[in-house]
Amino acid sequence: HAKRLRAHVVREHGDGLAVVCDASLAIVAEVGPEDYRFGIDLPGQPVELEFRDGSVFVPDSATHRWPSQSRRAGIATWLETNRLVVVLALLLSPLALYWIYSSGMPVAAAWSVQFVPDSVKEELGKQTHSILEEWAFEPSELGERDQASVEAIWDSARENLALEHQHYELRFLKAPEIGANAFALPDGTVIVTDELVYLLRGNPDAMLAILLHEMGHVEHEHGLRLIAQSIGSALVLGAVFGDLEGLTEMFLGSGATLV
């Protein structure tokens, strides 16, 4: 059965401790440093001694801290009980979050994309392309002549540029709800809508400018940066509010983020 008694703790040689009964002055327990540990250090609560046999010593004073406690625990207690520190934390936390979102996260995203393997980029491209086809796109209805004219501009641009990304691919899709547009996927796929080709018939310089613009997105990995920034922002919010359950879905749904 559980037994309670009033006692005090006496430090012995080194970090050894002796628990002495207040009434009889008999030594209830003698333990070495390996036989006890300190409980959680919380402001307003006493720090307990937890012994190997399951018994616990609870100090009378809620402010009592053990001399041999780690310095880190004492610093944490001071931070949590200092009013000035608490007020500064309340004021600086929103500013820190703003800086993370506006400056820190874009820089971290740009740095992190260099470590993304090509296999991930290819999977993102496939995933995004699949979503687009189901969402608002249809198979291309361009004639061979129109396709050949754009492909000639595309091939000429690639031959005259020293591009870091080697796996470029040009695709055509019909987009009646979106209209004239073009965009690039992380795996190097550049999609041009039929409507854009019709709009720029006879204007190869404008088509060249658009294709170069999309190649620039791939070369500078803007799509991957967008995903990295989105996931990083979710990590920060999850850490602040203690909710990380939705991160798995965000990783798996990166194609939807690109869309």
Side-chain angles (χ1 to χ4, degrees):
H1 297 288
K3 183 179 180 181
R4 298 183 61 184
L5 55 86
R6 293 193 61 83
H8 59 276
V9 173
V10 178
R11 176 183 286 186
E12 295 187 324
H13 50 83
D15 288 329
L17 300 177
V19 181
V20 180
C21 176
D22 287 349
S24 65
L25 297 181
I27 296 178
V28 179
E30 285 185 290
V31 294
E34 70 280 358
D35 296 318
Y36 70 88
R37 67 180 182 182
F38 300 108
I40 299 174
D41 190 341
L42 296 174
Q45 298 293 326
V47 177
E48 300 174 346
L49 276 182
E50 301 173 355
F51 297 98
R52 186 186 293 275
D53 63 1
S55 57
V56 177
F57 180 89
V58 183
D60 282 337
S61 172
T63 60
H64 175 76
R65 294 298 180 266
W66 302 92
S68 53
Q69 267 185 266
S70 69
R71 184 181 178 187
R72 182 181 300 177
I75 293 175
T77 301
W78 179 81
L79 290 174
E80 293 175 342
T81 54
N82 187 290
R83 292 184 180 181
L84 178 60
V85 172
V86 173
V87 171
L88 287 175
L90 290 173
L91 293 175
L92 294 179
S93 293
L95 294 176
L97 283 174
Y98 173 78
W99 178 85
I100 288 172
Y101 274 98
S102 63
S103 302
M105 199 56 66
V107 172
W111 172 80
S112 65
V113 295
Q114 63 183 307
F115 303 107
V116 178
D118 290 340
S119 59
V120 173
K121 298 176 186 178
E122 292 173 6
E123 184 59 34
L124 278 174
K126 292 177 182 177
Q127 188 183 99
T128 308
H129 192 271
S130 177
I131 294 172
L132 291 173
E133 287 185 325
E134 294 181 7
W135 172 48
F137 291 83
E138 302 172 7
S140 174
E141 296 181 356
L142 284 178
E144 292 183 4
R145 186 172 182 178
D146 285 322
Q147 286 196 29
S149 65
V150 179
E151 288 171 351
I153 298 171
W154 169 264
D155 292 337
S156 176
R158 290 189 59 193
E159 290 173 2
N160 287 281
L161 292 173
L163 300 174
E164 292 185 11
H165 203 290
Q166 301 298 322
H167 305 291
Y168 279 98
E169 182 180 356
L170 179 64
R171 293 184 183 176
F172 300 97
L173 287 175
K174 182 181 178 181
E177 296 183 12
I178 295 177
N181 214 326
F183 47 91
L185 304 181
D187 63 348
T189 300
V190 174
I191 296 176
V192 176
T193 66
D194 292 3
E195 292 75 11
L196 181 63
V197 177
Y198 296 144
L199 181 66
L200 297 182
R201 274 177 176 165
N203 194 345
D205 289 343
M207 180 60 73
L208 173 62
I210 290 172
L211 294 176
L212 291 174
H213 175 87
E214 299 307 329
M215 289 179 179
H217 282 311
V218 178
E219 289 294 305
H220 295 285
E221 300 182 309
H222 290 159
L224 287 175
R225 291 188 188 188
L226 173 67
I227 292 175
Q229 189 170 343
S230 177
I231 292 175
S233 299
L235 279 170
V236 173
L237 286 177
V240 171
F241 295 106
D243 181 14
L244 299 175
E245 294 181 359
L247 286 180
T248 302
E249 288 78 5
M250 177 162 287
F251 279 106
L252 295 176
S254 297
T257 302
L258 279 176
V259 172

